[in-house]
Amino acid sequence: MRFRILAMTSLLLLTSCNRLAKTHECRRLGAIVNAGLGKVEASLHKGSAAEYRALGPLYKALAAEVRQARLSSSAGTALVSEFATLFESTASATTNFGAALEAQDTRKIEEARRDLERLARHEQGLAMRLDSYCEAP
């Protein structure tokens, strides 16, 4: 009986340690993403073509930083990779939107706007999936 209690206590401690590690990893990733998106938001004041073109390198830097984040499970690793890919796509889309604004090409502006809207929806869904992953035991 004593052995079983000790084994259960050890299992609970191990589970708690894994949960704490996962929480730490998720918080670290959240801090990276929030800081990067904060820089993006701070750079966009008027919505000018130059500002949108300048967002591309910020999103690329964020993607590179996110790729360095580590989540210990394969599901977590896949989420990190998907976030990085999303930010790389957003870098291209913001650059394209800035170029279209500068050229005053309404067709390209609308295409780029739709692309940015699609990426924003993808980001929302991905953020919800990350929240679910981080909250799961």
Side-chain angles (χ1 to χ4, degrees), residues 2-16:
R2 183 178 240 173
F3 176 72
R4 194 161 62 194
I5 291 172
L6 183 59
M8 293 197 54
T9 303
S10 297
L11 182 62
L12 284 173
L13 288 175
L14 182 62
T15 303
S16 296

Side-chain angles (χ1 to χ4, degrees), residues 93 97 101 108-118:
F97 187 63
L101 285 174
K108 287 185 180 181
I109 289 171
E110 284 307 310
E111 285 175 8
R113 183 172 310 193
R114 281 192 302 274
D115 197 25
L116 286 170
E117 289 170 355
R118 179 187 57 77

Side-chain angles (χ1 to χ4, degrees), residues 9-85:
T9 303
S10 297
L11 182 62
L12 284 173
L13 288 175
L14 182 62
T15 303
S16 296
C17 288
N18 288 341
R19 177 79 173 141
L20 287 174
K22 185 177 182 183
T23 299
H24 179 70
E25 291 172 349
C26 286
R27 285 185 179 163
R28 189 175 59 238
L29 178 60
I32 290 168
V33 170
N34 288 336
L37 292 178
K39 289 177 187 176
V40 166
E41 189 175 316
S43 298
L44 193 60
H45 303 288
K46 299 176 186 177
S48 69
E51 287 177 345
Y52 275 102
R53 282 194 321 274
L55 294 182
L58 293 176
Y59 275 112
K60 283 183 182 180
L62 177 55
E65 205 171 346
V66 165
R67 282 205 190 280
Q68 298 303 312
R70 299 284 180 246
L71 294 181
S72 54
S73 73
S74 59
T77 301
L79 284 168
V80 166
S81 179
E82 193 171 345
F83 257 112
T85 301

